[in-house]
Amino acid sequence: MGLTPVANDQIATIVTHLEMVERPKPAPIPPAPLRLVPWKQPAPDAYRALFRRVGEPWLWFSRLVMSDKELSAIIHDPAVQIFAVTDPRGVEVGLLELDFRTLPDCELSFLGFIPELTGKGFGKWLMAQAKSLAWRKDVRRFWVHSCTLDSPGALGFYRQAGFVPFKREVEVFPDPRLTGLLSRDAAPHVPVLGQPASA
C-alpha cells in the first residue's frame, strides 16, 4: 500500500480494459451529417496527420514513434480496418480503427474525433458504426482499452455502449510533450512537470 513516485519526465495512467462478449442486438445507426470512408493502405504520413489531429488532446503518441515500416506493417495489414470520418465537405474529422488480427477477438484500436467535434453527440453514431463493422460472423469478443488520460466521459461512454470492464493496469511512459513528439500545449488537463529533453 502507498504511493509510488513517478519521475517528472514520465506520465502514469490507469488503463482499464473492457470487453463485449455477446453480439449486440441489431439497432439503427443514429443519424449524423458524417461519412465513414474506408482507408485502404493509407500513406503513413497521412495516417499520422489524422491520428495526431484526433489524439493529441489525449496524448495519443503510440503510432507517432513508429518507423514507416513498423506503422505500415499494422495499417496495411488486411486484418486491420481503418476508416476516416469525413464531414459534409469531405474533410477528415475523425478516426476509427478495428483490429481483427487475433480472431476471434476484434480490438477497437482507436475511435475519436478532432477537438472541434468532441462532445457534440457524434460518438454514439461512430460507436454504432464500430459495433456494426466489428461483429462479423467469426468474431466472439469485441474489446477496447481506455485510460485516465482520455476524456473523463470515456469509460462511461464505453460502458453505455455495452462494454464491461475486466482488467486494470498502470502504464508509465515518457511525456511525449517533453520529447517534442507532441506540442507542449497538448492535453492541458495533464500537467507538464519536467523540462524538455534539450533543456
Side-chain angles (χ1 to χ4, degrees):
M1 299 291 290
L3 300 176
T4 300
V6 176
N8 281 358
D9 64 346
Q10 303 285 306
I11 289 178
T13 182
I14 298 172
V15 180
T16 300
H17 300 259
L18 306 97
E19 64 183 358
M20 189 184 300
V21 295
E22 292 185 7
R23 186 181 301 270
K25 295 178 180 177
I29 292 177
L34 303 170
R35 287 185 60 224
L36 206 57
V37 179
W39 251 15
K40 296 189 177 179
Q41 298 203 342
D45 285 348
Y47 175 91
R48 287 192 194 99
L50 183 57
F51 182 91
R52 183 186 294 272
R53 288 178 61 217
V54 172
E56 190 163 25
W58 315 112
L59 294 186
W60 290 8
F61 73 95
S62 60
R63 298 292 172 80
L64 303 179
V65 295
M66 294 179 177
S67 67
D68 282 359
K69 183 177 180 180
E70 291 172 312
L71 180 58
S72 295
I74 298 171
I75 64 175
H76 294 171
D77 190 306
V80 175
Q81 293 186 359
I82 302 169
F83 302 85
V85 179
T86 61
D87 67 11
R89 299 168 298 163
V91 176
E92 293 153 355
V93 294
L95 176 68
L96 171 63
E97 185 171 328
L98 300 169
D99 189 340
F100 296 92
R101 290 178 294 173
T102 57
L103 288 172
D105 291 356
C106 172
E107 179 184 0
L108 175 56
S109 301
F110 297 103
L111 177 148
F113 291 99
I114 61 173
E116 294 85 347
L117 293 187
T118 300
K120 297 191 181 297
F122 297 135
K124 291 181 179 178
W125 171 83
L126 189 53
M127 179 58 76
Q129 298 276 7
K131 288 194 286 188
S132 174
L133 291 162
W135 282 100
R136 306 188 317 198
K137 64 177 182 179
D138 47 357
V139 169
R140 297 290 176 266
R141 185 176 80 120
F142 187 28
W143 74 280
V144 65
H145 65 263
S146 183
C147 74
T148 47
L149 299 177
D150 287 336
S151 163
L155 270 180
F157 172 74
Y158 288 126
R159 295 177 75 176
Q160 187 178 34
F163 290 94
V164 177
F166 70 93
K167 184 171 72 172
R168 188 179 294 130
E169 298 174 301
V170 174
E171 182 182 12
V172 180
F173 56 87
D175 190 332
R177 298 166 297 185
L178 295 178
T179 62
L181 196 61
L182 295 178
S183 162
R184 197 172 173 91
D185 297 331
H189 63 295
V190 182
V192 178
L193 301 180
Q195 296 299 317
S198 58

